[in-house]
Amino acid sequence: MHLNCAKFVSCRSASAVLVACIVAITLRTILLGSPQTCIEGFSGVDLRPHPPSLPLDAPQLESPQAEVRPLEEHTYTPDGLLVVNPNGPHPIFELMRNAEAAWEAKLARASKTLDEAVAEYKRRYKRPPPRGFDKWWDYVVKHDVQLPDEYDEIYHDLEPFWGIDPYDLAVTQEELEQRQGTVTVHKTPFNAGLEIVGETLPEDRRAELQRTIENILTLLKDVQHELPPLRITFSPYDNPSMLSDWRIKNMTLEAAAKGTTIKRSDLPAIKEAGWVQACPPNSPARLHLPSLPPLSTTTNISSPPKTFVASHRDTMDPCTHPSLLTSHGQFLSHKAGPFPQHTLVPRFSLCASLLHHDIRPPVPYGW
């Protein structure tokens, strides 16, 4: 009997649970509606609400996209800088493309024959090439020189001296040989090569400084027999010192362009010292004399626009970038600068700046 009662209770409990489940499902259906999956599963009609359909001729709406604006251009200034436009491409890629294009164009237009080289020289420099240019071209062909037309640096160094009276230039050369810290080299019709014939070097550094010039002569050993008789004076130091006066250099350049010369006695007198004496009167260095930046870090100085170097040579000009005069050791160590030379002095030096008229020979240093 106990077993029958247990079975009865168990069956009744199961029935109660089943009834409760049926009631719960029925109430859920009435109150919440049937699950959509069930409707779709048992009916071929989708009873879910749909948005109203558009007419067939209605325009199709595209998904919104971000507006793509064209990149803007950067600004190139006459002083050799690229001023960054924040809405432009990264300047480095543009500068690289420009440099590569300029290099390829230079190689493409390089002279292939002596006649082409002579014509290009006349076009660029408005004068015939120097005596012995044909021998130089033989050297170009023999050694496969890549840039046979590039004499700009040589031309710029020598150009102002063509405007000085030759006799006065010879006198200046003789005076230069007596200045301290020089080495004089000559070649005569009777010797095949260049040789040192005089020096005014300090005793404690004579051997070291003279070796500097001897190394330059060694560099010229293979071609020195082709050179005409000459006498030149070197500085063995690693800095220039022939500071130009803008008035004098400008006068000689104008004379050279006309094919005339100026007597040294007709040059203007030197009355003022300073680096800026080598700059044009309307240059930034003259109009806004450079000064040292303030030592205080709390000074509110507005940030200049971001720039990149587009022309290396132009950005090395202290006349257009006066900050060089108060930041570069070549100028800063001499404060406002020395007096300019009273005339153009034909001294050969290891280097020069755009404020100096030192002549730069080929040197085996800095490579």
Side-chain angles (χ1 to χ4, degrees), residues 93-104:
F93 300 113
E94 182 172 321
L95 292 171
M96 289 174 61
R97 285 195 302 270
N98 293 346
E100 290 173 354
W103 176 253
E104 293 299 330

Side-chain angles (χ1 to χ4, degrees), residues 183 185 194-196 206-221 234 236 364-365:
V183 177
V185 173
L194 297 164
E195 58 181 347
I196 295 176
R206 176 172 289 119
E208 170 200 352
L209 295 174
Q210 185 164 314
R211 192 178 307 113
T212 299
I213 306 305
E214 290 171 349
N215 290 338
I216 296 176
L217 301 186
T218 300
L219 183 66
L220 301 174
K221 187 175 181 180
F234 287 88
Y365 308 110

Side-chain angles (χ1 to χ4, degrees), residues 138-214:
D138 292 339
Y139 184 92
V140 168
V141 174
K142 180 179 179 180
H143 296 277
D144 192 24
V145 175
Q146 290 190 64
L147 302 175
D149 301 310
E150 307 305 318
Y151 311 107
D152 288 2
E153 298 300 320
I154 299 174
Y155 180 80
H156 290 313
D157 283 358
L158 298 180
E159 184 183 14
F161 293 97
W162 290 323
I164 294 287
D165 179 81
Y167 175 80
D168 288 344
L169 194 59
V171 171
T172 303
Q173 163 64 28
E174 292 178 1
E175 296 172 350
L176 175 61
E177 293 183 20
Q178 306 307 315
R179 292 194 186 188
Q180 291 300 308
T182 63
V183 177
T184 299
V185 173
H186 85 164
K187 179 178 184 292
T188 69
F190 308 105
N191 62 332
L194 297 164
E195 58 181 347
I196 295 176
V197 293
E199 49 85 10
T200 57
L201 302 175
E203 183 64 32
D204 59 338
R205 297 189 62 192
R206 176 172 289 119
E208 170 200 352
L209 295 174
Q210 185 164 314
R211 192 178 307 113
T212 299
I213 306 305
E214 290 171 349

